[in-house]
Amino acid sequence: MNMQLLGKYYLEECKLHHTHFVLQFTKTYSNETLKEVLSSEEFDNIDYVFNPVEKMIFFSIFDKAEKPKKYEKTKKAIIETLGMIDGTYLSILYDSQTVEYLEKISSSIYELERNFRNLIEIKMLRQVGPLWRNQYLVSNDNTYDRKTGRKDDVFKYLANPLDDHNFKNLSVFVKENIRRNRSIITEKLDLLDSKLDILKAAKKSEDLNEITDDIVDEINQLKISVGNANDLYSEDIYAHIKPDLVEEWNRIYDYRNYWAHNIFLMTEAEYNEYLRLSQRINKKIKVELTIDSLLGSLNFKDYGNFIRISISKYENEVVNCEVKIKFNLNGKFYYVSKLEADYIDIYNFYKVLFSKQADFIAKLDSTYLRNPYLYNILSENEKFPEWFEDISEEDSNEIINILTSVFKFNVKTANESGEGLVVVNEDHHSFLKRIFS
Protein backbone atom coordinates (compact mmCIF):
# COMPACT_ATOMS: atom_id res chain seq x y z
CA MET A 1 0.00 0.00 0.00
CA ASN A 2 1.56 3.34 -1.01
CA MET A 3 1.40 6.43 1.19
CA GLN A 4 -1.25 8.09 -0.99
CA LEU A 5 -3.59 5.14 -0.57
CA LEU A 6 -2.76 5.00 3.12
CA GLY A 7 -3.68 8.68 3.50
CA LYS A 8 -6.94 8.10 1.64
CA TYR A 9 -7.64 5.18 3.91
CA TYR A 10 -7.35 7.31 7.05
CA LEU A 11 -9.37 10.12 5.50
CA GLU A 12 -12.18 7.59 5.11
CA GLU A 13 -12.18 7.28 8.91
CA CYS A 14 -10.61 3.83 8.96
CA LYS A 15 -13.68 2.06 7.58
CA LEU A 16 -11.63 -0.92 6.46
CA HIS A 17 -10.49 -3.49 8.98
CA HIS A 18 -6.84 -3.19 9.88
CA THR A 19 -4.28 -4.70 12.23
CA HIS A 20 -1.02 -3.18 13.43
CA PHE A 21 1.96 -5.32 14.52
CA VAL A 22 5.46 -5.00 15.88
CA LEU A 23 7.88 -7.71 14.75
CA GLN A 24 11.47 -8.64 15.47
CA PHE A 25 13.32 -11.45 13.69
CA THR A 26 16.52 -13.22 14.62
CA LYS A 27 19.60 -12.38 12.54
CA THR A 28 18.70 -15.06 10.00
CA TYR A 29 15.65 -13.20 8.71
CA SER A 30 15.04 -9.68 7.43
CA ASN A 31 12.55 -7.19 6.01
CA GLU A 32 12.50 -9.24 2.80
CA THR A 33 11.18 -12.21 4.75
CA LEU A 34 8.19 -10.19 5.93
CA LYS A 35 7.59 -8.77 2.46
CA GLU A 36 7.70 -12.27 0.97
CA VAL A 37 5.09 -13.48 3.45
CA LEU A 38 2.72 -10.52 3.02
CA SER A 39 3.03 -10.53 -0.78
CA SER A 40 1.97 -14.17 -1.06
CA GLU A 41 -0.89 -14.84 -3.52
CA GLU A 42 -2.66 -16.55 -0.62
CA PHE A 43 -3.11 -13.10 0.94
CA ASP A 44 -4.43 -11.25 -2.10
CA ASN A 45 -7.28 -9.69 -0.10
CA ILE A 46 -4.99 -7.43 1.95
CA ASP A 47 -2.79 -4.40 1.49
CA TYR A 48 0.14 -3.80 3.80
CA VAL A 49 2.72 -1.22 4.79
CA PHE A 50 5.81 -1.67 6.97
CA ASN A 51 8.64 0.38 8.38
CA PRO A 52 11.84 -0.89 10.08
CA VAL A 53 12.90 1.04 13.20
CA GLU A 54 16.29 -0.16 14.42
CA LYS A 55 15.83 -3.92 15.01
CA MET A 56 12.04 -3.73 15.08
CA ILE A 57 9.64 -3.82 12.13
CA PHE A 58 6.31 -2.02 12.47
CA PHE A 59 3.79 -3.20 9.90
CA SER A 60 0.06 -3.02 9.26
CA ILE A 61 -2.32 -5.03 7.12
CA PHE A 62 -5.56 -3.71 5.64
CA ASP A 63 -8.67 -5.46 4.33
CA LYS A 64 -8.79 -4.14 0.77
CA ALA A 65 -11.50 -6.67 -0.20
CA GLU A 66 -13.83 -5.48 2.58
CA LYS A 67 -14.73 -9.05 3.53
CA PRO A 68 -14.46 -9.34 7.32
CA LYS A 69 -14.61 -13.14 7.52
CA LYS A 70 -11.92 -13.61 4.89
CA TYR A 71 -9.82 -10.87 6.49
CA GLU A 72 -9.91 -12.62 9.88
CA LYS A 73 -8.88 -15.89 8.20
CA THR A 74 -5.99 -14.14 6.42
CA LYS A 75 -4.95 -12.37 9.61
CA LYS A 76 -4.74 -15.71 11.45
CA ALA A 77 -2.76 -17.26 8.59
CA ILE A 78 -0.23 -14.39 8.62
CA ILE A 79 0.20 -14.71 12.39
CA GLU A 80 0.71 -18.47 12.13
CA THR A 81 3.15 -18.16 9.20
CA LEU A 82 5.33 -15.60 10.95
CA GLY A 83 4.95 -17.24 14.36
CA MET A 84 6.38 -20.54 13.11
CA ILE A 85 9.70 -18.88 12.22
CA ASP A 86 12.20 -19.64 14.97
CA GLY A 87 13.02 -16.73 17.23
CA THR A 88 10.18 -14.51 15.97
CA TYR A 89 8.79 -11.88 18.32
CA LEU A 90 5.34 -10.88 17.03
CA SER A 91 2.90 -8.68 18.90
CA ILE A 92 -0.42 -7.04 18.02
CA LEU A 93 -0.56 -3.32 18.77
CA TYR A 94 -4.09 -2.74 17.50
CA ASP A 95 -6.79 -4.78 15.77
CA SER A 96 -9.92 -3.05 14.51
CA GLN A 97 -12.05 -6.21 14.55
CA THR A 98 -11.20 -6.80 18.21
CA VAL A 99 -12.04 -3.17 18.96
CA GLU A 100 -15.47 -3.61 17.36
CA TYR A 101 -16.17 -6.75 19.37
CA LEU A 102 -15.06 -5.17 22.64
CA GLU A 103 -17.08 -2.01 21.98
CA LYS A 104 -20.16 -4.15 21.42
CA ILE A 105 -19.47 -6.06 24.64
CA SER A 106 -18.99 -2.76 26.45
CA SER A 107 -22.37 -1.48 25.25
CA SER A 108 -24.16 -4.65 26.41
CA ILE A 109 -22.32 -5.59 29.60
CA TYR A 110 -23.69 -2.68 31.64
CA GLU A 111 -27.29 -3.66 30.96
CA LEU A 112 -26.59 -7.36 31.55
CA GLU A 113 -24.81 -6.84 34.87
CA ARG A 114 -27.14 -4.08 36.02
CA ASN A 115 -30.21 -6.22 35.31
CA PHE A 116 -28.79 -9.10 37.32
CA ARG A 117 -27.91 -6.88 40.30
CA ASN A 118 -31.36 -5.22 40.17
CA LEU A 119 -33.15 -8.55 39.99
CA ILE A 120 -31.31 -9.99 43.01
CA GLU A 121 -31.77 -6.80 45.01
CA ILE A 122 -35.51 -6.45 44.35
CA LYS A 123 -36.17 -10.13 45.03
CA MET A 124 -34.23 -10.09 48.30
CA LEU A 125 -35.76 -6.78 49.40
CA ARG A 126 -39.23 -8.22 48.78
CA GLN A 127 -38.50 -11.58 50.40
CA VAL A 128 -36.37 -10.56 53.41
CA GLY A 129 -36.67 -6.78 53.84
CA PRO A 130 -34.29 -3.80 53.95
CA LEU A 131 -31.83 -5.55 56.29
CA TRP A 132 -31.25 -8.42 53.86
CA ARG A 133 -27.70 -7.27 53.15
CA ASN A 134 -26.72 -7.69 56.82
CA GLN A 135 -28.02 -11.26 56.73
CA TYR A 136 -26.78 -12.44 53.34
CA LEU A 137 -23.88 -10.30 52.15
CA VAL A 138 -20.45 -11.10 53.55
CA SER A 139 -17.29 -9.18 52.65
CA ASN A 140 -14.44 -11.29 51.31
CA ASP A 141 -11.61 -11.19 48.78
CA ASN A 142 -14.13 -10.83 45.94
CA THR A 143 -15.89 -7.78 47.36
CA TYR A 144 -14.86 -4.12 47.32
CA ASP A 145 -15.86 -1.04 49.26
CA ARG A 146 -16.91 1.21 46.39
CA LYS A 147 -18.20 4.12 48.50
CA THR A 148 -15.63 4.95 51.20
CA GLY A 149 -13.08 7.44 49.99
CA ARG A 150 -15.11 8.80 47.08
CA LYS A 151 -15.04 12.57 46.89
CA ASP A 152 -18.80 13.14 46.91
CA ASP A 153 -20.71 12.38 50.14
CA VAL A 154 -23.85 11.49 48.20
CA PHE A 155 -22.79 7.83 47.97
CA LYS A 156 -23.14 7.25 51.72
CA TYR A 157 -26.89 7.77 51.45
CA LEU A 158 -27.35 4.97 48.89
CA ALA A 159 -27.70 1.26 49.53
CA ASN A 160 -26.88 -0.65 46.32
CA PRO A 161 -25.16 -3.37 48.39
CA LEU A 162 -24.46 -5.68 45.45
CA ASP A 163 -22.28 -3.08 43.77
CA ASP A 164 -19.49 -4.07 46.16
CA HIS A 165 -19.54 -7.52 44.55
CA ASN A 166 -17.73 -8.09 41.28
CA PHE A 167 -19.14 -9.75 38.17
CA LYS A 168 -18.28 -13.34 39.05
CA ASN A 169 -19.18 -12.89 42.70
CA LEU A 170 -22.81 -12.27 41.74
CA SER A 171 -23.18 -15.91 40.71
CA VAL A 172 -21.34 -17.02 43.85
CA PHE A 173 -23.82 -15.03 45.95
CA VAL A 174 -26.79 -16.66 44.22
CA LYS A 175 -25.27 -20.12 44.43
CA GLU A 176 -24.32 -19.84 48.12
CA ASN A 177 -27.38 -18.06 49.46
CA ILE A 178 -30.17 -19.44 47.31
CA ARG A 179 -28.76 -22.89 46.77
CA ARG A 180 -31.58 -25.10 47.96
CA ASN A 181 -34.06 -26.35 45.42
CA ARG A 182 -36.98 -28.53 46.40
CA SER A 183 -36.95 -30.53 43.19
CA ILE A 184 -33.22 -31.26 43.55
CA ILE A 185 -33.69 -32.39 47.16
CA THR A 186 -36.55 -34.64 46.05
CA GLU A 187 -34.40 -36.12 43.30
CA LYS A 188 -31.63 -36.87 45.80
CA LEU A 189 -34.08 -38.50 48.19
CA ASP A 190 -35.35 -40.70 45.36
CA LEU A 191 -31.74 -41.57 44.57
CA LEU A 192 -31.17 -42.57 48.18
CA ASP A 193 -34.24 -44.80 48.05
CA SER A 194 -32.86 -46.56 45.00
CA LYS A 195 -29.50 -47.01 46.70
CA LEU A 196 -31.21 -48.55 49.71
CA ASP A 197 -32.83 -51.06 47.37
CA ILE A 198 -29.37 -51.87 46.00
CA LEU A 199 -28.12 -52.19 49.58
CA LYS A 200 -30.79 -54.74 50.40
CA ALA A 201 -29.86 -56.78 47.31
CA ALA A 202 -26.11 -56.68 47.93
CA LYS A 203 -24.48 -59.86 49.18
CA LYS A 204 -20.75 -59.17 49.39
CA SER A 205 -19.58 -57.31 52.48
CA GLU A 206 -17.25 -55.03 50.45
CA ASP A 207 -20.23 -53.98 48.32
CA LEU A 208 -22.24 -53.27 51.46
CA ASN A 209 -19.53 -51.04 52.88
CA GLU A 210 -19.12 -49.06 49.65
CA ILE A 211 -22.85 -48.53 49.16
CA THR A 212 -23.34 -47.65 52.84
CA ASP A 213 -20.57 -45.02 52.72
CA ASP A 214 -22.08 -43.55 49.58
CA ILE A 215 -25.51 -43.24 51.19
CA VAL A 216 -24.06 -41.66 54.35
CA ASP A 217 -22.23 -39.06 52.20
CA GLU A 218 -25.45 -38.20 50.35
CA ILE A 219 -27.35 -37.81 53.63
CA ASN A 220 -24.66 -35.53 55.05
CA GLN A 221 -24.77 -33.36 51.93
CA LEU A 222 -28.55 -33.03 52.26
CA LYS A 223 -28.16 -32.04 55.91
CA ILE A 224 -25.70 -29.32 54.96
CA SER A 225 -27.94 -28.03 52.17
CA VAL A 226 -30.92 -27.52 54.48
CA GLY A 227 -29.08 -26.79 57.72
CA ASN A 228 -28.56 -23.05 57.37
CA ALA A 229 -31.52 -21.06 58.67
CA ASN A 230 -30.58 -18.17 56.38
CA ASP A 231 -30.89 -20.28 53.23
CA LEU A 232 -33.80 -19.67 50.90
CA TYR A 233 -35.36 -22.06 48.45
CA SER A 234 -34.53 -20.91 44.95
CA GLU A 235 -38.15 -21.26 43.86
CA ASP A 236 -39.20 -18.97 46.72
CA ILE A 237 -37.17 -16.23 45.05
CA TYR A 238 -37.38 -16.92 41.32
CA ALA A 239 -40.39 -18.00 39.29
CA HIS A 240 -38.53 -18.40 36.01
CA ILE A 241 -34.78 -18.65 36.58
CA LYS A 242 -33.31 -22.08 37.15
CA PRO A 243 -29.90 -23.07 38.62
CA ASP A 244 -28.32 -23.27 35.16
CA LEU A 245 -28.16 -19.45 35.11
CA VAL A 246 -25.24 -19.60 37.55
CA GLU A 247 -23.36 -21.96 35.22
CA GLU A 248 -24.03 -19.73 32.20
CA TRP A 249 -22.98 -16.62 34.14
CA ASN A 250 -19.67 -18.29 35.02
CA ARG A 251 -19.12 -19.24 31.36
CA ILE A 252 -19.71 -15.71 30.14
CA TYR A 253 -17.28 -14.38 32.75
CA ASP A 254 -14.24 -15.31 30.64
CA TYR A 255 -15.56 -13.53 27.55
CA ARG A 256 -16.51 -10.50 29.61
CA ASN A 257 -12.91 -10.42 30.90
CA TYR A 258 -11.60 -10.03 27.35
CA TRP A 259 -13.32 -6.64 27.43
CA ALA A 260 -12.41 -5.82 31.05
CA HIS A 261 -8.72 -6.57 30.49
CA ASN A 262 -8.47 -5.00 27.02
CA ILE A 263 -7.44 -8.23 25.28
CA PHE A 264 -5.14 -7.83 22.25
CA LEU A 265 -7.07 -10.16 19.91
CA MET A 266 -10.61 -11.50 19.93
CA THR A 267 -11.99 -13.79 17.25
CA GLU A 268 -15.43 -13.75 15.70
CA ALA A 269 -16.17 -17.19 17.18
CA GLU A 270 -15.38 -15.92 20.68
CA TYR A 271 -17.52 -12.83 20.22
CA ASN A 272 -20.45 -14.86 18.86
CA GLU A 273 -20.28 -17.16 21.87
CA TYR A 274 -20.36 -14.13 24.18
CA LEU A 275 -23.30 -12.71 22.22
CA ARG A 276 -25.24 -15.98 22.38
CA LEU A 277 -24.67 -16.37 26.12
CA SER A 278 -25.37 -12.72 26.99
CA GLN A 279 -28.62 -12.64 25.02
CA ARG A 280 -29.75 -15.92 26.56
CA ILE A 281 -28.94 -14.79 30.11
CA ASN A 282 -30.42 -11.32 29.64
CA LYS A 283 -33.61 -12.83 28.24
CA LYS A 284 -34.01 -15.00 31.34
CA ILE A 285 -33.42 -12.02 33.62
CA LYS A 286 -35.86 -9.81 31.68
CA VAL A 287 -38.58 -12.47 31.74
CA GLU A 288 -38.07 -12.82 35.50
CA LEU A 289 -38.28 -9.04 35.96
CA THR A 290 -41.46 -9.01 33.86
CA ILE A 291 -43.09 -11.73 35.96
CA ASP A 292 -42.06 -9.97 39.16
CA SER A 293 -43.13 -6.47 38.10
CA LEU A 294 -46.40 -7.32 36.34
CA LEU A 295 -47.59 -10.47 38.11
CA GLY A 296 -45.89 -10.71 41.49
CA SER A 297 -47.34 -13.81 43.16
CA LEU A 298 -50.26 -14.06 40.70
CA ASN A 299 -50.49 -16.35 37.69
CA PHE A 300 -52.74 -14.06 35.65
CA LYS A 301 -53.41 -10.35 35.51
CA ASP A 302 -54.72 -7.84 33.00
CA TYR A 303 -54.16 -4.13 32.56
CA GLY A 304 -55.75 -1.23 30.77
CA ASN A 305 -58.97 -0.45 29.00
CA PHE A 306 -58.41 0.94 25.51
CA ILE A 307 -55.47 -1.42 25.18
CA ARG A 308 -56.02 -4.50 27.31
CA ILE A 309 -52.90 -6.49 28.08
CA SER A 310 -53.27 -9.89 29.73
CA ILE A 311 -50.18 -11.42 31.31
CA SER A 312 -50.09 -15.06 32.36
CA LYS A 313 -47.47 -17.48 33.57
CA TYR A 314 -47.60 -21.23 33.56
CA GLU A 315 -45.08 -23.99 33.93
CA ASN A 316 -44.32 -27.00 31.79
CA GLU A 317 -40.60 -27.73 32.02
CA VAL A 318 -39.84 -24.04 32.50
CA VAL A 319 -41.99 -21.09 33.47
CA ASN A 320 -43.27 -19.17 30.47
CA CYS A 321 -44.58 -15.64 30.45
CA GLU A 322 -47.22 -15.01 27.81
CA VAL A 323 -48.59 -11.63 26.83
CA LYS A 324 -51.93 -11.19 25.02
CA ILE A 325 -53.02 -7.74 23.85
CA LYS A 326 -56.44 -6.66 22.62
CA PHE A 327 -56.94 -3.31 20.86
CA ASN A 328 -59.25 -1.66 18.33
CA LEU A 329 -58.06 0.05 15.15
CA ASN A 330 -60.56 1.60 12.75
CA GLY A 331 -63.42 -0.51 14.10
CA LYS A 332 -61.50 -3.79 13.91
CA PHE A 333 -60.33 -5.70 16.97
CA TYR A 334 -56.82 -7.12 16.92
CA TYR A 335 -55.46 -9.82 19.20
CA VAL A 336 -51.70 -9.84 19.60
CA SER A 337 -49.84 -12.56 21.49
CA LYS A 338 -46.32 -13.69 22.23
CA LEU A 339 -44.98 -16.58 24.27
CA GLU A 340 -41.81 -16.25 26.34
CA ALA A 341 -42.43 -12.52 26.35
CA ASP A 342 -40.74 -9.88 28.47
CA TYR A 343 -41.31 -6.20 29.14
CA ILE A 344 -39.22 -5.26 26.10
CA ASP A 345 -41.82 -7.00 23.93
CA ILE A 346 -44.53 -4.86 25.51
CA TYR A 347 -42.36 -1.78 25.00
CA ASN A 348 -41.90 -2.68 21.31
CA PHE A 349 -45.65 -3.06 20.89
CA TYR A 350 -46.34 0.45 22.19
CA LYS A 351 -43.45 1.89 20.24
CA VAL A 352 -44.87 0.50 16.98
CA LEU A 353 -48.48 1.38 17.76
CA PHE A 354 -47.75 4.99 18.69
CA SER A 355 -44.66 5.63 16.56
CA LYS A 356 -46.00 9.08 15.58
CA GLN A 357 -46.29 10.22 19.20
CA ALA A 358 -42.71 11.41 19.63
CA ASP A 359 -43.08 12.71 23.20
CA PHE A 360 -44.66 9.46 24.38
CA ILE A 361 -41.96 7.35 22.72
CA ALA A 362 -39.25 9.53 24.30
CA LYS A 363 -40.87 8.92 27.68
CA LEU A 364 -40.91 5.18 27.03
CA ASP A 365 -37.25 5.24 26.02
CA SER A 366 -36.15 7.13 29.11
CA THR A 367 -38.33 5.37 31.70
CA TYR A 368 -40.14 2.11 31.01
CA LEU A 369 -37.40 0.70 28.76
CA ARG A 370 -35.10 0.60 31.80
CA ASN A 371 -37.65 0.00 34.54
CA PRO A 372 -40.56 -2.43 34.02
CA TYR A 373 -41.94 -1.48 37.44
CA LEU A 374 -43.16 1.78 35.86
CA TYR A 375 -45.89 -0.02 33.96
CA ASN A 376 -48.45 2.67 34.85
CA ILE A 377 -46.86 4.80 32.12
CA LEU A 378 -48.37 2.36 29.62
CA SER A 379 -51.61 1.41 31.31
CA GLU A 380 -52.80 4.82 32.50
CA ASN A 381 -52.84 7.24 29.58
CA GLU A 382 -55.90 9.41 28.90
CA LYS A 383 -54.68 10.31 25.41
CA PHE A 384 -54.94 6.78 23.99
CA PRO A 385 -58.46 7.32 22.48
CA GLU A 386 -57.46 10.42 20.51
CA TRP A 387 -54.21 8.80 19.39
CA PHE A 388 -56.15 5.86 18.01
CA GLU A 389 -58.29 8.26 15.96
CA ASP A 390 -55.15 9.55 14.21
CA ILE A 391 -54.23 6.08 12.92
CA SER A 392 -55.33 5.59 9.31
CA GLU A 393 -56.15 2.33 7.54
CA GLU A 394 -52.77 2.47 5.84
CA ASP A 395 -51.10 3.03 9.20
CA SER A 396 -52.95 0.03 10.61
CA ASN A 397 -51.63 -2.28 7.92
CA GLU A 398 -48.09 -1.04 8.49
CA ILE A 399 -48.42 -1.50 12.26
CA ILE A 400 -49.59 -5.10 11.88
CA ASN A 401 -46.85 -5.84 9.36
CA ILE A 402 -44.12 -4.55 11.68
CA LEU A 403 -45.51 -6.39 14.71
CA THR A 404 -45.52 -9.70 12.85
CA SER A 405 -42.45 -9.46 10.63
CA VAL A 406 -40.04 -7.48 12.82
CA PHE A 407 -41.10 -8.30 16.38
CA LYS A 408 -42.58 -11.76 15.74
CA PHE A 409 -45.93 -11.18 17.42
CA ASN A 410 -48.84 -13.44 16.53
CA VAL A 411 -51.55 -11.07 15.27
CA LYS A 412 -55.14 -12.09 14.52
CA THR A 413 -58.45 -10.31 14.04
CA ALA A 414 -61.70 -11.16 15.83
CA ASN A 415 -62.73 -13.51 13.01
CA GLU A 416 -59.48 -15.44 12.88
CA SER A 417 -58.05 -18.15 15.09
CA GLY A 418 -54.48 -19.16 15.60
CA GLU A 419 -52.43 -21.67 17.51
CA GLY A 420 -51.40 -20.36 20.90
CA LEU A 421 -53.83 -17.43 20.68
CA VAL A 422 -56.98 -17.18 22.78
CA VAL A 423 -59.55 -14.73 21.42
CA VAL A 424 -60.45 -13.12 24.72
CA ASN A 425 -64.15 -12.39 24.91
CA GLU A 426 -65.66 -10.87 28.05
CA ASP A 427 -67.01 -14.14 29.50
CA HIS A 428 -63.74 -15.97 28.95
CA HIS A 429 -61.82 -13.02 30.34
CA SER A 430 -63.94 -12.95 33.53
CA PHE A 431 -63.55 -16.69 33.93
CA LEU A 432 -59.75 -16.44 33.71
CA LYS A 433 -59.72 -13.65 36.26
CA ARG A 434 -61.69 -15.77 38.74
CA ILE A 435 -59.53 -18.87 38.46
CA PHE A 436 -56.14 -17.15 38.35
CA SER A 437 -56.64 -14.32 40.85
Side-chain angles (χ1 to χ4, degrees):
M1 174 182 275
N2 62 39
M3 297 309 293
Q4 184 178 0
L5 287 175
L6 184 61
K8 180 181 178 183
Y9 166 77
Y10 278 107
L11 287 174
E12 291 176 350
E13 299 180 353
C14 300
K15 293 179 181 178
L16 301 180
H17 283 301
H18 50 289
T19 309
H20 306 312
F21 299 88
V22 60
L23 168 70
Q24 188 166 339
F25 287 127
T26 59
K27 295 179 180 178
T28 313
Y29 304 97
S30 65
N31 300 346
E32 292 303 315
T33 306
L34 175 61
K35 187 174 182 180
E36 183 178 343
V37 171
L38 298 178
S39 301
S40 169
E41 292 183 3
E42 179 186 358
F43 306 141
D44 62 349
N45 61 307
I46 66 157
D47 278 325
Y48 67 90
V49 62
F50 68 89
N51 182 44
V53 179
E54 297 178 349
K55 294 182 179 181
M56 297 175 289
I57 306 174
F58 292 88
F59 74 96
S60 300
I61 58 173
F62 306 88
D63 178 22
K64 70 178 182 182
E66 299 186 52
K67 295 180 179 179
K69 289 183 181 295
K70 187 175 181 181
Y71 177 74
E72 181 177 25
K73 185 177 179 181
T74 299
K75 176 172 59 182
K76 289 179 180 178
I78 291 172
I79 293 171
E80 290 170 0
T81 302
L82 293 171
M84 286 189 292
I85 299 175
D86 289 340
T88 299
Y89 181 99
L90 181 66
S91 179
I92 290 178
L93 301 177
Y94 183 92
D95 177 65
S96 65
Q97 287 183 311
T98 297
V99 171
E100 285 186 7
Y101 297 144
L102 297 186
E103 285 177 347
K104 289 175 181 177
I105 290 176
S106 176
S107 65
S108 67
I109 203 70
Y110 176 85
E111 180 184 7
L112 177 64
E113 191 169 349
R114 192 77 258 158
N115 281 346
F116 199 19
R117 293 180 194 274
N118 292 345
L119 176 63
I120 296 171
E121 185 170 8
I122 291 168
K123 293 284 190 177
M124 295 299 290
L125 191 60
R126 174 172 287 173
Q127 186 74 17
V128 182
L131 297 180
W132 72 270
R133 58 181 172 182
N134 299 336
Q135 190 172 347
Y136 290 94
L137 289 180
V138 178
S139 298
N140 55 41
D141 292 340
N142 290 319
T143 59
Y144 306 90
D145 182 353
R146 303 187 193 277
K147 296 175 183 175
T148 304
R150 296 185 70 173
K151 294 182 179 179
D152 200 318
D153 288 341
V154 69
F155 300 106
K156 69 182 181 183
Y157 300 109
L158 294 169
N160 292 88
L162 282 167
D163 279 55
D164 287 345
H165 290 244
N166 64 22
F167 187 92
K168 192 171 184 178
N169 196 239
L170 292 178
S171 65
V172 174
F173 166 80
V174 174
K175 187 175 182 180
E176 288 183 349
N177 293 291
I178 313 174
R179 61 178 177 266
R180 292 189 295 164
N181 184 283
R182 290 187 181 93
S183 62
I184 292 176
I185 292 175
T186 302
E187 289 173 8
K188 288 187 175 182
L189 288 172
D190 290 340
L191 180 62
L192 285 174
D193 281 339
S194 66
K195 288 182 178 180
L196 285 171
D197 291 336
I198 297 173
L199 181 62
K200 293 173 184 177
K203 295 180 180 180
K204 296 180 180 179
S205 60
E206 59 268 23
D207 292 338
L208 285 172
N209 290 333
E210 183 178 342
I211 296 170
T212 302
D213 290 343
D214 193 16
I215 292 175
V216 170
D217 287 342
E218 290 281 355
I219 291 173
N220 288 334
Q221 288 299 318
L222 282 174
K223 287 180 179 179
I224 292 172
S225 70
V226 299
N228 189 340
N230 285 340
D231 280 353
L232 298 166
Y233 285 107
S234 61
E235 56 268 42
D236 290 339
I237 303 297
Y238 301 118
H240 168 72
I241 288 177
K242 302 302 178 186
D244 61 353
L245 177 71
V246 171
E247 297 174 10
E248 291 178 335
W249 191 266
N250 286 337
R251 284 167 58 201
I252 204 174
Y253 177 69
D254 291 336
Y255 296 111
R256 175 262 188 192
N257 274 356
Y258 292 162
W259 160 77
H261 300 299
N262 197 8
I263 197 73
F264 58 92
L265 182 66
M266 188 176 199
T267 66
E268 182 184 29
E270 290 170 329
Y271 172 72
N272 286 339
E273 176 66 3
Y274 163 81
L275 188 63
R276 185 188 69 80
L277 277 171
S278 64
Q279 290 176 343
R280 179 180 171 86
I281 293 170
N282 218 10
K283 179 66 173 179
K284 289 180 179 181
I285 293 172
K286 286 177 180 176
V287 170
E288 185 68 31
L289 281 167
T290 303
I291 291 173
D292 191 67
S293 62
L294 300 185
L295 284 171
S297 60
L298 300 176
N299 290 321
F300 173 86
K301 195 170 183 181
D302 71 330
Y303 297 85
N305 185 12
F306 296 101
I307 303 173
R308 191 166 74 202
I309 296 184
S310 300
I311 311 287
S312 61
K313 69 178 180 184
Y314 54 90
E315 185 168 5
N316 185 6
E317 293 183 359
V318 296
V319 174
N320 286 315
C321 182
E322 185 172 16
V323 57
K324 295 173 183 175
I325 307 171
K326 176 183 176 181
F327 62 103
N328 186 330
L329 284 180
N330 300 306
K332 182 186 292 186
F333 280 102
Y334 290 92
Y335 301 91
V336 176
S337 71
K338 192 167 189 178
L339 188 61
E340 297 183 10
D342 58 40
Y343 66 93
I344 300 298
D345 294 310
I346 299 173
Y347 158 82
N348 286 331
F349 166 77
Y350 276 91
K351 193 166 184 177
V352 172
L353 188 60
F354 297 121
S355 60
K356 295 183 178 180
Q357 306 299 327
D359 291 343
F360 178 65
I361 298 303
K363 191 175 184 180
L364 288 187
D365 289 342
S366 62
T367 52
Y368 179 71
L369 179 60
R370 302 300 176 195
N371 191 346
Y373 292 87
L374 296 177
Y375 186 83
N376 61 311
I377 292 173
L378 304 181
S379 60
E380 300 173 5
N381 196 313
E382 297 178 354
K383 292 187 176 181
F384 282 166
E386 65 181 77
W387 290 354
F388 275 123
E389 292 177 1
D390 292 337
I391 298 175
S392 67
E393 187 72 31
E394 184 179 352
D395 292 334
S396 298
N397 294 333
E398 181 65 17
I399 288 169
I400 302 307
N401 179 56
I402 294 174
L403 288 176
T404 54
S405 62
V406 178
F407 295 107
K408 309 305 178 185
F409 282 96
N410 186 0
V411 182
K412 300 292 180 182
T413 64
N415 296 322
E416 294 178 300
S417 61
E419 183 179 352
L421 179 69
V422 176
V423 178
V424 184
N425 59 42
E426 295 302 322
D427 291 338
H428 183 77
H429 170 68
S430 299
F431 173 71
L432 286 177
K433 282 191 70 174
R434 287 199 303 274
I435 65 174
F436 284 119
S437 297

